Every structure is written in structure tokens, then in C-alpha cells.
Amino acid sequence: MTAPAQSTTVSGAAPRTAPGNAADREVKRRRVLDILDAAGRDSLLLTTHTALTWYLDGSRVHISLAGDPIAALLVDREGDHLVTFNNEAGRIAAEELPQGVSLHTVPWHGPLHATAAALAGDGNPLFESAVTAELRAARQQLLPAEAARYAQLSADAAAAMTDVLYGATPETTEFELVAGLAARIVSVGAEPLVLLCNGSGRSDFRHPLATHAPLGRRAMAVVCARRDGLVANVTRWVAFDAGTRQELDAEARIAAVEADIFRATVPGARLNDVFAEIQTAYERHGFGADQWKQHHQGGPAGYAGRDPRVTADVTDTIVLNQPFTWNPSGPGVKIEDTVLLTEGGIQVLSLDDRWPAAEVDGRRRPLTLRP
């Protein structure tokens, strides 16, 4: 197969300006004030990456991808107050601060959260951990500007997969493959939060961190890319032969499991009911009743890789314009894309028209690439 022309999509502009959309931010503030009204409180302290990037509508409040946020935000009835360290304030003010948010500083060695909490009128704000479920519900439904940003990020992540995997060979190592993916993700202004790869010698691992092993005859690659706080998730497969009958059959059956999950993902359904459908779908399509126990199944997406991972105990109700990443898997097979539940049904966001696909239940689903 001839390699396609590389995608050159680059989102955003230089120098960077805060991505926050004023109309979307007004809605988010109203949602938080509703939480305060229900709790009978006057202020809320936000401290996690997920809550901060959602409420600030895409501001980058990290330095290390593995570290805690370098900011905390107090939302009260008078306004929004962002506290950061003195050595971060210049960048935050120039590139990340949405209009209408007051910026406060604390010494780089000072107490970030305590300083933010002290800004509350009574010095005793409601803490994020007390309203985890309420905040998750507040960010379920993507607003117009963030939905557009998410669609572009998802398309960029899918394009990165196409660009890199078309250039792979059996001799390419897993590290070389994920290095190429990292470069493509960074080149479009995103951050590679997760990069996974297993060549044919390591296909039993569902979360395969890369090694120096060559890909061999068949490989899986996974990317979780973050931009403006939103996280897109994509899995793709590449093979350098025609595939065995068993492999091709398993690929078709895992796509059928996914189609059943998509049909169950409708407004008003509860996530634990979708989880029950996942369990029966594995058995229905020949993977056995216990296959769901071998790997998590995904769930709502957006400002966290999964928000949350779905289990039998998660009873959230699905709403329109909510993003998802389901990732059913079996021995040697997995399928995963970032999607949005719209009035017309499931819309796959992480599509690249250059990638080979087959129609499954009325939508294009990725096949294994054979370059």
C-alpha cells in the first residue's frame, strides 16, 4: 500500500493565548455556582488537573506531566481567583489566564492551597474532594468551543498514527515507533500522556510500555494526547503480512463488541447498565464471559483519560454532547477511538480518512494497517 501524504495540521497560533471561550466559561461558572447553592456554601477550591483545566477552559496549569498543578483556584460568588507560585505567574498571566480571573501569587516555596483557601471570605471553602460527583456531572456535556477543540485534537492524534505507522517496518523497534508518535503529538501543540506499543513478541500485554524489541510481523500502538486540558485516546494496529484467519476473525468480533457498546451509549442510560452490556457483548461475540476482567473497558472522556473508568458501581447518567472512549479488548485485539454522543448518535472524532476502514453498524471503523 502506498504511504499517504503526511498530515500538516497544526492547531493554535504563536504566541499562545489563553484558549478559554468567554461564553463557555460563563456556563461553567454557573454550573459551579449551582453546586455551591446545593451545598449551601459560598466558595469552592479547585486543585486537580481535571477540574482546573475544565473550569479555566483549557489553561495549562502544569510544568511536569507527572507533577501536581502549579496553581489552585478559588471560585466564590464574587469571582474567580487563581493562585500560582511567583516563578510561574509571568507565563500564567501572559499565556494561560482567561479574562475575568484574578491572579494571586505565593512564593515558590509557599503554601499554595492554604493561600488560595485563605481568599475565601470565611477562610473555609468547600474542597473539591467533597463534590467530586457533582463536578464530574458539571463537565459531562461539552460546550461548543471545547467540543470543536476536542474534535481537532482527536483528528490530530489519529493523523499522527497514520503518519507514523505507514512508515513502520518489521525492524522498527517499539521505542522508535513511540518516539515518532511523541514527535508528531508535540508538533501539533499537544502532550503525549500515554504512549504504548507491543510488537508481535509482546502481544499478550494489554498495557505494553515500549521496549527495544522490533515490531516483527504485527504491532499495536496507543496514544493518549492532551491539548487545552482535553485528552484524546486512539489505538491502531499495523501488520506486515495478511494475518491469520484467527486474527482476522478476532478483529471483526471485537469491532462487533464495540458496536454493541455504541448502541448502548444513549442519553438517559446509566453507565453501570452500559457496563452490563459490555459484559454480555463479550460472551455474545465469542470472547467468553470473563473477558471484561482482563482490562478496563473505558468510559466517559474529556478532561481526564477516563472520567471515570466505568464499573458496575458507576451510576452516572449519560447526556448528549458527552465524549467517550470505550476500549474493548481480547487476546491480541483491541479497538479504541474518541467519540462524541450527538443527537445523531455516536460521532467518531479520531478519524483519519487515510486509514483503512470497514463499515460496522453504519460507521467507519479502523482495520489493521498493512503498509
Short mmCIF file of all heavy atoms in Angstrom, two decimals, residues 9-13 16-25 28 52-60 96 98 141-157 188-190 225-232 302-303 323 338 340 349-350:
data_model
loop_
_atom_site.label_atom_id
_atom_site.label_comp_id
_atom_site.label_asym_id
_atom_site.label_seq_id
_atom_site.Cartn_x
_atom_site.Cartn_y
_atom_site.Cartn_z
N THR A 9 -1.61 19.39 9.70
CA THR A 9 -2.48 20.20 10.56
C THR A 9 -1.75 20.62 11.82
O THR A 9 -1.18 19.80 12.52
CB THR A 9 -3.73 19.40 10.95
OG1 THR A 9 -4.44 19.04 9.77
CG2 THR A 9 -4.64 20.23 11.86
N VAL A 10 -1.72 21.89 12.10
CA VAL A 10 -1.17 22.41 13.34
C VAL A 10 -2.19 23.36 13.94
O VAL A 10 -2.51 24.38 13.35
CB VAL A 10 0.18 23.14 13.13
CG1 VAL A 10 0.68 23.70 14.45
CG2 VAL A 10 1.22 22.21 12.53
N SER A 11 -2.72 23.00 15.09
CA SER A 11 -3.75 23.82 15.72
C SER A 11 -3.13 24.90 16.58
O SER A 11 -2.05 24.72 17.14
CB SER A 11 -4.65 22.94 16.58
OG SER A 11 -5.29 21.98 15.77
N GLY A 12 -3.81 26.00 16.72
CA GLY A 12 -3.34 27.08 17.58
C GLY A 12 -2.42 28.02 16.84
O GLY A 12 -2.08 27.83 15.68
N ALA A 13 -1.97 29.06 17.50
CA ALA A 13 -1.12 30.06 16.89
C ALA A 13 -0.05 30.46 17.87
O ALA A 13 -0.16 30.23 19.06
CB ALA A 13 -1.95 31.28 16.49
N ARG A 16 1.18 31.91 22.12
CA ARG A 16 -0.02 31.32 22.68
C ARG A 16 -0.85 32.35 23.45
O ARG A 16 -0.31 33.21 24.14
CB ARG A 16 0.37 30.18 23.62
CG ARG A 16 -0.83 29.54 24.34
CD ARG A 16 -0.37 28.44 25.28
NE ARG A 16 -1.44 28.02 26.17
CZ ARG A 16 -2.32 27.07 25.92
NH1 ARG A 16 -2.28 26.44 24.76
NH2 ARG A 16 -3.25 26.74 26.80
N THR A 17 -2.15 32.23 23.31
CA THR A 17 -3.07 32.99 24.14
C THR A 17 -3.99 32.01 24.84
O THR A 17 -4.17 30.87 24.39
CB THR A 17 -3.91 33.97 23.30
OG1 THR A 17 -4.62 33.23 22.29
CG2 THR A 17 -3.02 35.01 22.63
N ALA A 18 -4.55 32.41 25.95
CA ALA A 18 -5.42 31.53 26.71
C ALA A 18 -6.56 31.02 25.83
O ALA A 18 -7.22 31.81 25.15
CB ALA A 18 -5.98 32.25 27.93
N PRO A 19 -6.81 29.70 25.79
CA PRO A 19 -7.82 29.16 24.89
C PRO A 19 -9.24 29.40 25.34
O PRO A 19 -10.17 29.20 24.58
CB PRO A 19 -7.50 27.66 24.89
CG PRO A 19 -6.89 27.41 26.23
CD PRO A 19 -6.10 28.66 26.55
N GLY A 20 -9.44 29.81 26.58
CA GLY A 20 -10.78 29.90 27.15
C GLY A 20 -11.76 30.71 26.32
O GLY A 20 -11.45 31.79 25.83
N ASN A 21 -12.97 30.18 26.15
CA ASN A 21 -14.04 30.83 25.42
C ASN A 21 -14.97 31.50 26.43
O ASN A 21 -15.46 30.85 27.36
CB ASN A 21 -14.80 29.80 24.58
CG ASN A 21 -15.99 30.39 23.87
OD1 ASN A 21 -17.07 30.46 24.43
ND2 ASN A 21 -15.79 30.80 22.63
N ALA A 22 -15.23 32.79 26.27
CA ALA A 22 -15.99 33.53 27.27
C ALA A 22 -17.39 32.96 27.48
O ALA A 22 -17.86 32.85 28.62
CB ALA A 22 -16.07 35.01 26.86
N ALA A 23 -18.05 32.58 26.40
CA ALA A 23 -19.41 32.04 26.53
C ALA A 23 -19.40 30.70 27.26
O ALA A 23 -20.24 30.45 28.14
CB ALA A 23 -20.04 31.89 25.15
N ASP A 24 -18.46 29.84 26.91
CA ASP A 24 -18.36 28.55 27.59
C ASP A 24 -18.00 28.73 29.05
O ASP A 24 -18.55 28.05 29.94
CB ASP A 24 -17.30 27.67 26.91
CG ASP A 24 -17.79 27.07 25.60
OD1 ASP A 24 -18.91 27.39 25.17
OD2 ASP A 24 -17.04 26.26 25.01
N ARG A 25 -17.10 29.66 29.34
CA ARG A 25 -16.68 29.86 30.72
C ARG A 25 -17.84 30.39 31.57
O ARG A 25 -17.96 30.05 32.75
CB ARG A 25 -15.50 30.84 30.80
CG ARG A 25 -14.17 30.22 30.35
CD ARG A 25 -12.98 30.86 31.04
NE ARG A 25 -13.00 30.59 32.47
CZ ARG A 25 -13.26 31.49 33.41
NH1 ARG A 25 -13.51 32.75 33.08
NH2 ARG A 25 -13.25 31.16 34.68
N LYS A 28 -19.84 27.40 32.59
CA LYS A 28 -19.14 26.60 33.59
C LYS A 28 -19.21 27.26 34.97
O LYS A 28 -19.40 26.58 35.99
CB LYS A 28 -17.69 26.39 33.17
CG LYS A 28 -17.55 25.52 31.94
CD LYS A 28 -16.10 25.34 31.52
CE LYS A 28 -16.01 24.47 30.28
NZ LYS A 28 -14.62 24.18 29.88
N LEU A 52 -9.28 21.98 37.20
CA LEU A 52 -8.73 23.28 36.83
C LEU A 52 -8.77 23.51 35.32
O LEU A 52 -9.20 24.57 34.85
CB LEU A 52 -7.28 23.39 37.33
CG LEU A 52 -7.11 23.59 38.84
CD1 LEU A 52 -5.67 23.32 39.25
CD2 LEU A 52 -7.52 25.00 39.25
N THR A 53 -8.33 22.52 34.55
CA THR A 53 -8.31 22.72 33.09
C THR A 53 -9.72 22.81 32.53
O THR A 53 -9.96 23.53 31.56
CB THR A 53 -7.51 21.61 32.38
OG1 THR A 53 -8.04 20.33 32.75
CG2 THR A 53 -6.05 21.68 32.75
N TRP A 54 -10.66 22.08 33.13
CA TRP A 54 -12.06 22.21 32.69
C TRP A 54 -12.58 23.61 33.01
O TRP A 54 -13.09 24.31 32.11
CB TRP A 54 -12.94 21.17 33.38
CG TRP A 54 -14.40 21.47 33.23
CD1 TRP A 54 -15.14 21.33 32.09
CD2 TRP A 54 -15.29 22.01 34.22
NE1 TRP A 54 -16.45 21.75 32.31
CE2 TRP A 54 -16.56 22.17 33.62
CE3 TRP A 54 -15.13 22.36 35.56
CZ2 TRP A 54 -17.66 22.67 34.31
CZ3 TRP A 54 -16.23 22.85 36.26
CH2 TRP A 54 -17.47 23.00 35.64
N TYR A 55 -12.46 24.05 34.25
CA TYR A 55 -13.07 25.32 34.65
C TYR A 55 -12.40 26.51 33.96
O TYR A 55 -13.08 27.46 33.55
CB TYR A 55 -13.01 25.49 36.16
CG TYR A 55 -13.80 26.69 36.64
CD1 TYR A 55 -15.19 26.65 36.68
CD2 TYR A 55 -13.16 27.86 37.01
CE1 TYR A 55 -15.92 27.76 37.08
CE2 TYR A 55 -13.89 28.98 37.42
CZ TYR A 55 -15.27 28.92 37.45
OH TYR A 55 -16.00 30.02 37.83
N LEU A 56 -11.09 26.45 33.80
CA LEU A 56 -10.37 27.53 33.12
C LEU A 56 -10.45 27.39 31.60
O LEU A 56 -9.94 28.23 30.86
CB LEU A 56 -8.92 27.57 33.57
CG LEU A 56 -8.71 27.94 35.04
CD1 LEU A 56 -7.25 27.72 35.43
CD2 LEU A 56 -9.13 29.38 35.32
N ASP A 57 -11.08 26.33 31.13
CA ASP A 57 -11.37 26.13 29.71
C ASP A 57 -10.09 25.97 28.88
O ASP A 57 -9.96 26.54 27.80
CB ASP A 57 -12.22 27.28 29.17
CG ASP A 57 -13.13 26.84 28.02
OD1 ASP A 57 -13.48 25.65 27.97
OD2 ASP A 57 -13.47 27.69 27.17
N GLY A 58 -9.16 25.16 29.42
CA GLY A 58 -8.00 24.79 28.62
C GLY A 58 -6.68 25.37 29.05
O GLY A 58 -5.66 25.11 28.41
N SER A 59 -6.64 26.15 30.11
CA SER A 59 -5.36 26.72 30.56
C SER A 59 -4.42 25.62 31.02
O SER A 59 -4.84 24.65 31.65
CB SER A 59 -5.59 27.71 31.71
OG SER A 59 -6.39 28.79 31.28
N ARG A 60 -3.12 25.78 30.73
CA ARG A 60 -2.10 24.82 31.15
C ARG A 60 -1.63 25.20 32.55
O ARG A 60 -1.03 26.26 32.74
CB ARG A 60 -0.94 24.80 30.17
CG ARG A 60 -1.33 24.35 28.77
CD ARG A 60 -0.17 24.37 27.81
NE ARG A 60 0.33 25.74 27.63
CZ ARG A 60 1.36 26.05 26.83
NH1 ARG A 60 1.98 25.10 26.15
NH2 ARG A 60 1.74 27.30 26.71
N GLU A 96 -1.98 31.95 29.83
CA GLU A 96 -2.96 30.98 30.31
C GLU A 96 -4.15 31.57 31.05
O GLU A 96 -5.10 30.86 31.35
CB GLU A 96 -2.28 29.97 31.25
CG GLU A 96 -1.00 29.34 30.72
CD GLU A 96 -1.22 28.47 29.50
OE1 GLU A 96 -2.37 28.05 29.25
OE2 GLU A 96 -0.24 28.22 28.77
N PRO A 98 -7.52 33.27 31.64
CA PRO A 98 -8.72 33.76 30.95
C PRO A 98 -9.13 35.12 31.47
O PRO A 98 -8.80 35.51 32.60
CB PRO A 98 -9.77 32.70 31.29
CG PRO A 98 -9.02 31.52 31.77
CD PRO A 98 -7.79 32.05 32.42
N GLN A 141 -21.08 17.36 29.74
CA GLN A 141 -21.57 17.85 28.44
C GLN A 141 -20.62 18.90 27.90
O GLN A 141 -20.48 19.98 28.47
CB GLN A 141 -22.97 18.42 28.61
CG GLN A 141 -23.65 18.78 27.31
CD GLN A 141 -25.08 19.25 27.56
OE1 GLN A 141 -25.30 20.25 28.23
NE2 GLN A 141 -26.04 18.51 27.04
N LEU A 142 -19.95 18.58 26.80
CA LEU A 142 -19.04 19.54 26.19
C LEU A 142 -19.81 20.72 25.61
O LEU A 142 -20.86 20.55 24.98
CB LEU A 142 -18.21 18.88 25.09
CG LEU A 142 -17.20 17.82 25.52
CD1 LEU A 142 -16.39 17.38 24.31
CD2 LEU A 142 -16.28 18.31 26.63
N LEU A 143 -19.26 21.90 25.80
CA LEU A 143 -19.82 23.12 25.24
C LEU A 143 -19.25 23.36 23.85
O LEU A 143 -18.26 22.73 23.46
CB LEU A 143 -19.54 24.28 26.19
CG LEU A 143 -20.24 24.12 27.56
CD1 LEU A 143 -19.66 25.07 28.58
CD2 LEU A 143 -21.74 24.31 27.41
N PRO A 144 -19.84 24.27 23.07
CA PRO A 144 -19.47 24.36 21.64
C PRO A 144 -17.99 24.56 21.36
O PRO A 144 -17.41 23.86 20.52
CB PRO A 144 -20.31 25.54 21.15
CG PRO A 144 -21.51 25.52 22.03
CD PRO A 144 -21.01 25.12 23.39
N ALA A 145 -17.34 25.52 22.02
CA ALA A 145 -15.94 25.80 21.69
C ALA A 145 -15.04 24.65 22.11
O ALA A 145 -14.11 24.27 21.38
CB ALA A 145 -15.49 27.10 22.36
N GLU A 146 -15.29 24.06 23.27
CA GLU A 146 -14.43 22.96 23.70
C GLU A 146 -14.68 21.71 22.86
O GLU A 146 -13.76 20.92 22.60
CB GLU A 146 -14.58 22.68 25.19
CG GLU A 146 -15.93 22.24 25.65
CD GLU A 146 -16.03 22.14 27.17
OE1 GLU A 146 -15.00 22.12 27.87
OE2 GLU A 146 -17.18 22.10 27.68
N ALA A 147 -15.92 21.51 22.40
CA ALA A 147 -16.21 20.38 21.53
C ALA A 147 -15.42 20.51 20.22
O ALA A 147 -14.90 19.52 19.69
CB ALA A 147 -17.70 20.28 21.25
N ALA A 148 -15.33 21.73 19.70
CA ALA A 148 -14.56 21.96 18.47
C ALA A 148 -13.07 21.69 18.71
O ALA A 148 -12.39 21.09 17.86
CB ALA A 148 -14.78 23.38 17.98
N ARG A 149 -12.56 22.14 19.85
CA ARG A 149 -11.15 21.88 20.16
C ARG A 149 -10.89 20.38 20.30
O ARG A 149 -9.85 19.87 19.87
CB ARG A 149 -10.75 22.60 21.45
CG ARG A 149 -10.73 24.11 21.36
CD ARG A 149 -9.94 24.75 22.49
NE ARG A 149 -10.47 24.45 23.81
CZ ARG A 149 -11.35 25.20 24.47
NH1 ARG A 149 -11.83 26.30 23.89
NH2 ARG A 149 -11.77 24.87 25.67
N TYR A 150 -11.84 19.68 20.90
CA TYR A 150 -11.67 18.25 21.12
C TYR A 150 -11.68 17.49 19.79
O TYR A 150 -10.90 16.56 19.59
CB TYR A 150 -12.79 17.75 22.02
CG TYR A 150 -12.48 16.48 22.77
CD1 TYR A 150 -11.18 16.08 23.06
CD2 TYR A 150 -13.52 15.67 23.24
CE1 TYR A 150 -10.93 14.93 23.78
CE2 TYR A 150 -13.26 14.52 23.96
CZ TYR A 150 -11.97 14.15 24.22
OH TYR A 150 -11.71 13.01 24.94
N ALA A 151 -12.56 17.89 18.90
CA ALA A 151 -12.62 17.24 17.60
C ALA A 151 -11.31 17.42 16.84
O ALA A 151 -10.80 16.48 16.21
CB ALA A 151 -13.79 17.79 16.79
N GLN A 152 -10.72 18.61 16.91
CA GLN A 152 -9.47 18.85 16.22
C GLN A 152 -8.32 18.06 16.84
O GLN A 152 -7.49 17.48 16.15
CB GLN A 152 -9.13 20.33 16.21
CG GLN A 152 -7.90 20.69 15.38
CD GLN A 152 -8.05 20.28 13.92
OE1 GLN A 152 -8.91 20.82 13.22
NE2 GLN A 152 -7.24 19.34 13.45
N LEU A 153 -8.26 18.02 18.17
CA LEU A 153 -7.23 17.23 18.84
C LEU A 153 -7.34 15.76 18.47
O LEU A 153 -6.33 15.09 18.17
CB LEU A 153 -7.36 17.40 20.35
CG LEU A 153 -6.51 16.44 21.20
CD1 LEU A 153 -5.03 16.68 20.98
CD2 LEU A 153 -6.88 16.57 22.68
N SER A 154 -8.55 15.23 18.49
CA SER A 154 -8.76 13.81 18.17
C SER A 154 -8.33 13.51 16.74
O SER A 154 -7.69 12.47 16.47
CB SER A 154 -10.23 13.44 18.39
OG SER A 154 -10.61 13.64 19.73
N ALA A 155 -8.67 14.41 15.82
CA ALA A 155 -8.24 14.22 14.43
C ALA A 155 -6.72 14.28 14.31
O ALA A 155 -6.11 13.53 13.54
CB ALA A 155 -8.89 15.28 13.55
N ASP A 156 -6.10 15.19 15.06
CA ASP A 156 -4.64 15.29 15.03
C ASP A 156 -3.98 14.02 15.56
O ASP A 156 -2.96 13.55 15.04
CB ASP A 156 -4.17 16.49 15.86
CG ASP A 156 -4.46 17.83 15.18
OD1 ASP A 156 -4.79 17.82 13.98
OD2 ASP A 156 -4.35 18.86 15.86
N ALA A 157 -4.55 13.44 16.62
CA ALA A 157 -3.99 12.21 17.18
C ALA A 157 -4.13 11.05 16.19
O ALA A 157 -3.20 10.25 16.02
CB ALA A 157 -4.69 11.87 18.49
N VAL A 188 2.00 19.22 17.08
CA VAL A 188 0.70 19.88 16.95
C VAL A 188 0.28 20.54 18.26
O VAL A 188 -0.90 20.83 18.47
CB VAL A 188 -0.39 18.90 16.44
CG1 VAL A 188 -0.07 18.45 15.03
CG2 VAL A 188 -0.58 17.73 17.38
N GLY A 189 1.25 20.76 19.14
CA GLY A 189 0.98 21.51 20.35
C GLY A 189 0.31 20.72 21.45
O GLY A 189 -0.28 21.31 22.37
N ALA A 190 0.40 19.40 21.39
CA ALA A 190 -0.22 18.55 22.41
C ALA A 190 0.86 17.85 23.24
O ALA A 190 2.04 17.91 22.93
CB ALA A 190 -1.15 17.54 21.76
N ALA A 225 -3.34 11.79 24.00
CA ALA A 225 -2.75 13.11 23.77
C ALA A 225 -3.62 14.18 24.42
O ALA A 225 -4.84 14.16 24.29
CB ALA A 225 -2.63 13.39 22.27
N ARG A 226 -2.97 15.14 25.11
CA ARG A 226 -3.69 16.22 25.79
C ARG A 226 -3.35 17.56 25.17
O ARG A 226 -2.18 17.86 24.93
CB ARG A 226 -3.33 16.24 27.28
CG ARG A 226 -4.08 17.32 28.08
CD ARG A 226 -3.78 17.22 29.56
NE ARG A 226 -2.40 17.56 29.86
CZ ARG A 226 -1.84 17.41 31.07
NH1 ARG A 226 -2.55 16.90 32.06
NH2 ARG A 226 -0.59 17.74 31.27
N ARG A 227 -4.37 18.36 24.92
CA ARG A 227 -4.19 19.74 24.48
C ARG A 227 -5.35 20.57 25.03
O ARG A 227 -6.49 20.14 24.98
CB ARG A 227 -4.14 19.84 22.94
CG ARG A 227 -3.75 21.24 22.44
CD ARG A 227 -3.49 21.23 20.93
NE ARG A 227 -4.66 20.89 20.17
CZ ARG A 227 -4.63 20.26 18.99
NH1 ARG A 227 -3.47 19.92 18.44
NH2 ARG A 227 -5.75 19.99 18.34
N ASP A 228 -5.02 21.74 25.58
CA ASP A 228 -6.04 22.61 26.18
C ASP A 228 -6.84 21.85 27.24
O ASP A 228 -8.05 22.05 27.40
CB ASP A 228 -6.98 23.18 25.12
CG ASP A 228 -6.24 24.02 24.09
OD1 ASP A 228 -5.21 24.62 24.45
OD2 ASP A 228 -6.69 24.07 22.93
N GLY A 229 -6.16 20.95 27.94
CA GLY A 229 -6.80 20.19 29.01
C GLY A 229 -7.53 18.94 28.57
O GLY A 229 -7.74 18.02 29.36
N LEU A 230 -7.93 18.84 27.31
CA LEU A 230 -8.69 17.71 26.81
C LEU A 230 -7.77 16.57 26.39
O LEU A 230 -6.67 16.81 25.87
CB LEU A 230 -9.55 18.14 25.62
CG LEU A 230 -10.68 19.11 25.98
CD1 LEU A 230 -11.13 19.90 24.76
CD2 LEU A 230 -11.85 18.37 26.60
N VAL A 231 -8.22 15.34 26.60
CA VAL A 231 -7.41 14.16 26.33
C VAL A 231 -8.10 13.29 25.28
O VAL A 231 -9.24 12.84 25.49
CB VAL A 231 -7.17 13.34 27.61
CG1 VAL A 231 -6.27 12.14 27.31
CG2 VAL A 231 -6.55 14.21 28.71
N ALA A 232 -7.42 13.06 24.16
CA ALA A 232 -7.92 12.18 23.10
C ALA A 232 -7.16 10.85 23.16
O ALA A 232 -5.96 10.82 23.43
CB ALA A 232 -7.73 12.82 21.73
N GLY A 302 -12.76 13.28 27.95
CA GLY A 302 -12.79 14.73 28.06
C GLY A 302 -11.56 15.25 28.76
O GLY A 302 -10.44 15.14 28.24
N TYR A 303 -11.72 15.81 29.97
CA TYR A 303 -10.61 16.42 30.68
C TYR A 303 -9.83 15.42 31.54
O TYR A 303 -8.94 15.81 32.29
CB TYR A 303 -11.10 17.59 31.53
CG TYR A 303 -11.49 18.78 30.68
CD1 TYR A 303 -12.78 18.92 30.19
CD2 TYR A 303 -10.54 19.74 30.32
CE1 TYR A 303 -13.12 19.99 29.39
CE2 TYR A 303 -10.88 20.81 29.51
CZ TYR A 303 -12.17 20.94 29.05
OH TYR A 303 -12.51 21.99 28.24
N PRO A 323 -18.44 13.13 25.69
CA PRO A 323 -17.44 12.34 24.98
C PRO A 323 -17.17 11.02 25.69
O PRO A 323 -17.31 10.91 26.92
CB PRO A 323 -16.21 13.24 25.01
CG PRO A 323 -16.35 14.01 26.30
CD PRO A 323 -17.83 14.20 26.51
N THR A 338 -11.85 8.03 20.19
CA THR A 338 -12.53 9.05 20.96
C THR A 338 -13.78 9.47 20.20
O THR A 338 -13.71 9.78 19.01
CB THR A 338 -11.61 10.26 21.19
OG1 THR A 338 -10.45 9.81 21.89
CG2 THR A 338 -12.31 11.32 22.01
N LEU A 340 -18.04 11.27 20.35
CA LEU A 340 -18.95 12.22 20.98
C LEU A 340 -20.38 11.75 20.74
O LEU A 340 -20.74 11.41 19.60
CB LEU A 340 -18.75 13.62 20.41
CG LEU A 340 -19.55 14.75 21.06
CD1 LEU A 340 -19.05 15.01 22.49
CD2 LEU A 340 -19.44 16.04 20.24
N LEU A 349 -14.63 10.96 16.59
CA LEU A 349 -13.82 12.16 16.42
C LEU A 349 -12.42 11.86 15.90
O LEU A 349 -11.85 12.66 15.16
CB LEU A 349 -13.71 12.92 17.75
CG LEU A 349 -15.01 13.36 18.41
CD1 LEU A 349 -14.72 14.12 19.69
CD2 LEU A 349 -15.85 14.21 17.46
N SER A 350 -11.86 10.74 16.30
CA SER A 350 -10.46 10.44 15.97
C SER A 350 -10.37 9.65 14.67
O SER A 350 -9.84 8.53 14.62
CB SER A 350 -9.79 9.69 17.12
OG SER A 350 -10.58 8.61 17.57
#
